[in-house]
Amino acid sequence: MEITARRVFLSDSVQVLVLCEWPNATFDPQEVLRDFTRLRKFMLANSNLTRLSTAFPTETGLLEKINITGTKLRALPRDAFSNLQALRILDLRNNALQEMNVTTLDVPTLRYLHLAGNPLRCTEDTAWILDSDEGSVASRVVDRDKLLCAAPYDGRPLVPVVEIIVTLREECKRTICDCELVYVVGRAGKLTAHGQVIAFTSVNCSHRGLAEMPDFLPANTTTLHLSGNKIRDLTPLTTNPAYESVLDLYVDDNLVESIVRLEGSEWLDRFRLLNLRGNRLSDLPTYALENVLHNGNAASLYLGNNSWTCDCHFTPSFQVLLIRYPNLVKDINDVRCAPESDNDNANKQIRDLTRTEICITPDEDSWLHPLDILNVILASLIFLVLGKLLYDYWSFKKTGKLPWIVTKIP
């Protein structure tokens, strides 16, 4: 049964008004409340309300406290509370508010603002919550520590996450790269041992024409994309503290010729993903990489589309590494001998090469090798000795005479 509030409350002496389970998706303060000229406290709770269609009327200028809680309220009119000259407490907990317009909340008389329980978006637009100056809207939020982010940082404390986003934006301006906060560890009430959240940031510097790795990276950079540049040297991974947090490094399609300088470094022991596809690598320190893949945190290694040397000095140990860690070397089918190789192994998959193919050159692979001649001679002598033994045994059985050489032995 639909009955407007006007028909129920005709008295202008009402000071407290509580509406529970409001039946409509919208609520019109102008229409419903304009006759309540002495209203001090207004509460609207536990309903399917999604929006306020108008601002609170000037007739309710004596309102001191507003509670709109437990609804599906998604947004507020920009001037929702602009006519309220006595508003001191605004409780908007446990609604569906995703964004808060700071202008809407900037009521001069407001002292206490409650916002917990809303799925607020943690973006740069929420940076107003960091303003701790006296009189700011943020300084009036009494439950700042209880504010949580919505997806993609669902359940993470809002204030630390927004601080990270704002800092990342400023630090990213010092680079020519694109930056993104991809993940945050540390839920409210379950923070890290230091009481803080841990951020994972992705920085994309691909196809920027870089000849060297960047000198500066934003804090908490865990993933770095440097694909399609002209980088030759990876030494900064071992010398520049900015790379201490980098776990995933994409340096494919560059000009890297060697990673020997990474041998024994802390970064090599710590990395999670290393993409070296499409560079100018011909060999690498397989023993060092073997230890890293066995004992380290490595999960993915890309080595394809390089001109790998295929000889008896380097390839056997490299082949063992590929065969032993097929789940870590993600592009193992593209790890091939250099196309310009002088032997028959050009462009062949290194994993499938036989030891003969690796260690015997075409010049050595003739039909009659000196070692083969020696083997034939030794085999012939063995057969000769066995034949003589059988003959002497037959002769002894038939004639009873011992072999001539036995009769000469003292």
Side-chain angles (χ1 to χ4, degrees), residues 207 226-230 251-255 276-279 305:
H207 306 288
L226 293 171
S227 307
N229 285 294
K230 301 176 182 179
V251 68
D252 46 305
D253 297 325
N254 277 272
L255 305 176
L276 292 167
R277 284 179 62 88
N279 281 279
N305 296 345

Side-chain angles (χ1 to χ4, degrees), residues 83 164-165 170 175 185 220 310:
N83 296 324
I164 291 171
I165 291 174
E170 295 302 317
T175 72
V185 173
N220 305 309
C310 285

Side-chain angles (χ1 to χ4, degrees), residues 2-11 17 19 22 27 31-33 35-36:
E2 296 186 3
I3 302 177
T4 63
R6 242 175 170 190
R7 294 178 184 174
V8 180
F9 305 110
L10 298 177
S11 173
L17 177 61
L19 300 178
W22 181 257
F27 179 76
E31 177 66 22
V32 177
L33 301 178
D35 290 334
F36 295 90

Side-chain angles (χ1 to χ4, degrees), residues 13 26 75 96 113-115 207 223 226 277 300-301 338 354 358 394 401:
S13 62
T26 61
L113 176 60
H114 301 264
L115 295 174
H207 306 288
T223 302
L226 293 171
R277 284 179 62 88
S300 299
L301 181 63
T354 65
I358 296 171
W394 173 82
K401 293 182 179 180

Side-chain angles (χ1 to χ4, degrees), residues 8 28 43 58-59 82 95 109 117 169 186 201 221 226 231 288 343 362 410:
V8 180
D28 187 344
M43 177 181 291
T58 55
E59 290 84 354
S82 61
N95 292 295
T109 57
R169 177 191 62 187
T201 300
T221 298
L226 293 171
I231 297 171
N343 53 42

Side-chain angles (χ1 to χ4, degrees), residues 54 59 64 83 101-102 114 125 130 138 154 165 168 199 208 223 279 307 309 337 344 380 399 404:
T54 61
E59 290 84 354
E64 297 178 358
N83 296 324
N101 189 319
V102 68
H114 301 264
D125 295 334
L130 305 179
D154 191 27
I165 291 174
L168 177 60
R208 300 297 202 277
T223 302
N279 281 279
S307 297
T309 297
C337 298
D344 295 336
S380 300
T399 66
W404 172 81

Side-chain angles (χ1 to χ4, degrees), residues 211-217 224 226 231-246 249 251 256 258-259 261-262 265-268 270:
E212 298 179 347
M213 300 181 72
D215 292 329
F216 172 81
L217 292 176
L224 177 60
L226 293 171
I231 297 171
R232 298 176 181 271
D233 185 16
L234 301 183
T235 303
L237 291 172
T238 66
T239 59
N240 191 337
Y243 291 88
E244 288 181 358
S245 61
V246 175
L249 176 62
V251 68
V256 179
S258 174
I259 62 169
R261 293 191 178 183
L262 300 184
S265 67
E266 292 184 4
W267 188 90
L268 195 62
R270 190 175 58 246

